[in-house]
Amino acid sequence: GESVGLHLPTLSVQEGDNSIINCAYSNSASDYFIWYKQESGKGPQFIIDIRSNMDKRQGQRVTVLLNKTVKHLSLQIAATQPGDSAVYFCAESGGTNDYKLSFGAGTTVTVRA
Amino acid sequence: ETGVTQSPTHLIKTRGQQVTLRCSSQSGHNTVSWYQQALGQGPQFIFQYYREEENGRGNFPPRFSGLQFPNYSSELNVNALELDDSALYLCASSLGSRGNTIYFGEGSWLTVV
């Protein structure tokens, strides 16, 4: 079955450094990918999305890279700040299940001062 | 703020009882999806409502049911509550049922004792 997973469950980053969070997916029919940030006790917050006709998309301090050949997605956060501490989820949709998002288990990012 | 509002924010129910959770979608969004998030896990898709009709369903038993109203707000009903139903229930809204950005509310924390 389809699955979306993150490579590492936790990531500790020094404030000011860049963060890279990785995600692998298995559904080759997936054509839409989203990164969410979830702070403790809150709902997932949209960060950035990318469609399969692109391999890179940039937002404010964030960049998402998509490698469809190896079914890999990454989120890069520039100049990581304490407010970036949260759980990050990648999610995908596409194919016959394009009405729903499938989430991985999440990566917990901790920013060290 | 995503414009997706959920109520109640927290509630405690006894095993065997029934619960109704409510969601108001972001203005202009005609699609509402519900997700269940157990502690330490990613959200799991329950079902989606598009223009007042169920448009897709995840692997949840029939005691999980829903409604969408003409104003696109929605309810999630769970009958015969079980201890494992304890989770964060997230409502998400989007414009259209496929391939558009999905915005989440802050969720309703349900504890079943």
Side-chain angles (χ1 to χ4, degrees):
Chain A
E2 64 192 49
S3 66
V4 180
L6 298 179
H7 291 308
L8 291 174
T10 61
L11 179 66
S12 180
V13 182
Q14 185 69 38
E15 182 179 358
D17 286 353
N18 296 334
S19 304
I20 299 176
I21 307 167
N22 295 303
C23 180
Y25 64 96
S26 61
N27 184 1
S28 57
S30 296
D31 58 8
Y32 181 55
F33 304 88
I34 307 180
W35 281 98
Y36 287 95
K37 170 187 179 183
Q38 189 172 28
E39 296 176 274
S40 181
K42 296 189 175 182
Q45 175 188 351
F46 171 83
I47 302 173
I48 192 167
D49 59 2
I50 189 168
R51 299 188 188 278
S52 59
N53 60 350
M54 303 174 70
D55 52 22
K56 179 179 180 179
R57 193 168 186 218
Q58 291 184 288
Q60 188 175 11
R61 278 201 309 119
V62 296
T63 300
V64 56
L65 300 177
L66 175 64
N67 185 330
K68 295 180 289 294
T69 302
V70 295
K71 299 191 186 69
H72 183 268
L73 190 70
S74 69
L75 178 70
Q76 300 177 5
I77 305 174
T80 309
Q81 302 170 359
D84 295 327
S85 293
V87 180
Y88 289 81
F89 292 97
C90 64
E92 55 87 17
S93 71
T96 57
N97 294 324
D98 63 352
Y99 54 86
K100 69 174 185 178
L101 292 176
S102 296
F103 284 80
T107 291
T108 299
V109 173
T110 303
V111 180
R112 306 188 307 272
Chain B
E1 294 296 326
T2 64
V4 181
T5 58
Q6 294 186 241
S7 64
T9 55
H10 296 80
L11 70 168
I12 300 173
K13 290 286 189 177
T14 303
R15 188 172 50 184
Q17 285 188 316
Q18 178 265 345
V19 67
T20 297
L21 307 178
R22 295 178 174 82
C23 172
S24 294
S25 60
Q26 186 180 115
S27 179
H29 284 185
N30 56 12
T31 303
V32 170
S33 301
W34 287 91
Y35 289 77
Q36 180 195 66
Q37 186 176 22
L39 202 60
Q41 297 182 22
Q44 297 292 315
F45 176 77
I46 303 175
F47 44 55
Q48 181 188 83
Y49 279 84
Y50 173 63
R51 294 184 176 179
E52 303 178 57
E53 298 285 334
E54 186 178 293
N55 189 50
R57 189 178 184 92
N59 189 26
F60 281 82
R63 61 189 183 84
F64 285 77
S65 63
L67 284 173
Q68 187 179 32
F69 300 99
N71 66 353
Y72 303 130
S73 66
S74 178
E75 288 182 354
L76 165 65
N77 299 289
V78 187
N79 294 322
L81 283 166
E82 301 177 0
L83 298 179
D84 285 348
D85 295 334
S86 296
L88 177 65
Y89 288 85
L90 295 162
C91 172
S93 80
S94 59
L95 178 61
S97 62
R98 287 165 165 74
N100 291 312
T101 305
I102 297 174
Y103 296 95
F104 284 85
E106 299 290 24
S108 294
W109 286 96
L110 171 65
T111 301
V112 183
V113 298

